[in-house]
Amino acid sequence: MFKKLPNPAVFLDIEAEGENDPLRPAASLKAFRGRLVFELFRDTVPMTSENFRKLCTGELGGMMHYKGNEFHRVIPGFVAQAGDITHGDGTGGMSIYGPKFPDESFLHKHKWPGMLSMANSGPDSNGSQFYITLKKCTWLDGKHVVFGQIKDGLDTLMKIGKAGTKGEGAPKQRIKIVNCGEIDRDAVESLRMEDRKKARRGLLATPSSPIRKSERWVPGSMEESSKRRSHESADRDRDSGRRKSDNSRGDSGSRKRDRKRSRDSRSRERSRRRRSSRSRSRTRSRSRRKSRRHRSESR
């Protein structure tokens, strides 16, 4: 049904309205905007990925589009949820396959912030609603289908998380998807390269992605893929060399500790022998005195 193609990338342009409180300026909410870019796992969950991609592009027309949708549930330190294209309040939704479609696979886990997963009301009840994790959520594994991960815009995602509330998660401000669609993967990688250059120059505190280097996809031609694989193997070799040197240092330290323990045990053994020899000599002297006393009394 689905061709074996590279994993696609999609974007969500986010815009949040500000809110001024003249009585409590500190409680005022600042407006913000940003872009979230996700890689979809079409290689492992093609059905779920294609559902999300087509709802992002709006190629089916009508209401089958995330554009204009709002985040209706945001719980700080947990998830940001959106995608109710029918009711907008978390009670509806519609997939490209019909009202609901089954769980495809639980291969991917909610292992860090920025994992893209399907919201449901039970087994095999996926529609259009989705959520983005704001931290590692292992208790959701095996219940919700993870079908993507964030590639750019983690700072925007954290701003969305701060606009939420505990409990039911009603957002403190309106957070809207003003535009969405598919994006070229090479363009995403060039953006990530710019972020890494800024981080090296000190313009960014940290790179904007929580994804480890080995987990990132490889865009472009086979030549680029082979180059990246060679770089990653060189990094692994360098890390293994560091680990070996650390182990050698640890071995020398353990040998020193073993020698010290053996010296301490030998000194304890010598002191124990001295005490036992003293006690034996005292016992012998007491027995001699007793025998002399008995002999004198018998005379």
Side-chain angles (χ1 to χ4, degrees):
M1 181 177 177
F2 297 98
K3 295 180 180 179
K4 195 75 172 179
L5 296 171
N7 287 342
V10 296
F11 71 92
L12 302 176
D13 284 338
I14 306 299
E15 191 173 288
E17 297 179 357
E19 184 177 326
N20 294 321
D21 190 345
L23 300 178
R24 293 187 304 162
S28 299
L29 301 172
K30 293 183 179 179
F32 64 89
R33 61 179 60 186
R35 171 170 285 195
L36 306 177
V37 180
F38 298 94
E39 176 198 3
L40 304 182
F41 302 144
R42 183 160 59 188
D43 55 345
T44 52
V45 278
M47 189 176 180
T48 311
S49 299
E50 189 66 8
N51 177 65
F52 190 81
R53 188 192 68 80
K54 286 189 176 181
L55 289 172
C56 283
T57 59
E59 57 195 77
L60 299 181
M63 67 175 182
M64 305 297 287
H65 200 188
Y66 284 138
K67 185 175 180 179
N69 192 248
E70 294 184 9
F71 282 83
H72 61 268
R73 180 174 177 246
V74 181
I75 301 177
F78 181 31
V79 296
Q81 186 172 334
D84 185 354
I85 57 177
T86 57
H87 298 155
D89 57 0
T91 59
M94 175 72 68
S95 76
I96 65 172
Y97 311 109
K100 305 290 181 184
F101 68 98
D103 297 325
E104 190 172 9
S105 172
F106 299 116
L107 174 65
H108 300 284
K109 309 301 180 185
H110 303 77
K111 51 188 175 181
W112 47 52
M115 300 307 293
L116 187 61
S117 186
M118 292 301 296
N120 60 40
S121 57
D124 301 326
S125 60
N126 302 293
S128 58
Q129 290 193 48
F130 64 92
Y131 64 82
I132 311 163
T133 59
L134 301 175
K135 72 168 189 176
K136 182 178 180 180
C137 302
T138 54
W139 61 91
L140 299 177
D141 295 343
K143 299 176 183 176
H144 299 265
V145 178
V146 177
F147 62 95
Q149 63 185 357
I150 197 165
K151 287 296 177 180
D152 197 47
L154 186 63
D155 52 347
T156 302
L157 178 61
M158 293 300 108
K159 288 178 184 177
I160 294 172
K162 289 178 182 177
T165 57
K166 294 183 179 179
E168 294 184 359
K172 292 183 282 190
Q173 58 192 124
R174 293 185 65 184
I175 306 169
K176 193 174 183 180
I177 302 172
V178 294
N179 196 15
C180 53
E182 192 169 2
I183 191 170
D184 183 52
R185 298 192 326 157
D186 294 329
V188 178
E189 187 64 19
S190 66
L191 288 173
R192 296 188 54 74
M193 289 297 292
E194 287 296 324
D195 284 347
R196 285 195 285 272
K197 287 177 183 176
K198 289 179 182 177
R200 282 197 294 270
R201 292 199 300 265
L203 300 178
L204 288 178
T206 54
S208 60
S209 174
I211 311 303
R212 290 196 298 267
K213 191 174 184 180
S214 59
E215 296 286 338
R216 297 174 189 158
W217 86 78
V218 182
S221 62
M222 293 299 292
E223 184 179 354
E224 291 175 354
S225 302
S226 62
K227 284 181 183 178
R228 184 176 288 262
R229 280 195 292 271
S230 65
H231 289 316
E232 288 180 355
S233 64
D235 291 341
R236 283 196 296 272
D237 294 340
R238 193 159 55 249
D239 293 340
S240 64
R242 289 198 194 105
R243 282 196 296 272
K244 286 179 182 176
S245 63
D246 293 341
N247 290 337
S248 64
R249 292 194 201 102
D251 292 342
S252 63
S254 63
R255 284 197 291 271
K256 288 180 182 178
R257 287 194 295 272
D258 291 340
R259 285 197 294 270
K260 188 176 183 301
R261 288 196 196 98
S262 64
R263 284 198 300 270
D264 293 342
S265 63
R266 286 197 296 271
S267 65
R268 285 196 295 270
E269 181 65 21
R270 284 196 294 271
S271 62
R272 188 186 65 80
R273 287 176 182 172
R274 287 194 210 99
R275 287 196 298 271
S276 63
S277 64
R278 289 194 198 107
S279 64
R280 283 197 298 272
S281 64
R282 284 196 293 270
T283 304
R284 283 196 296 269
S285 64
R286 280 199 297 270
S287 63
R288 288 195 199 99
R289 284 198 296 273
K290 283 182 182 179
S291 63
R292 288 195 198 108
R293 196 179 300 117
H294 285 307
R295 283 199 297 272
S296 63
E297 287 175 357
S298 61
R299 288 176 186 172

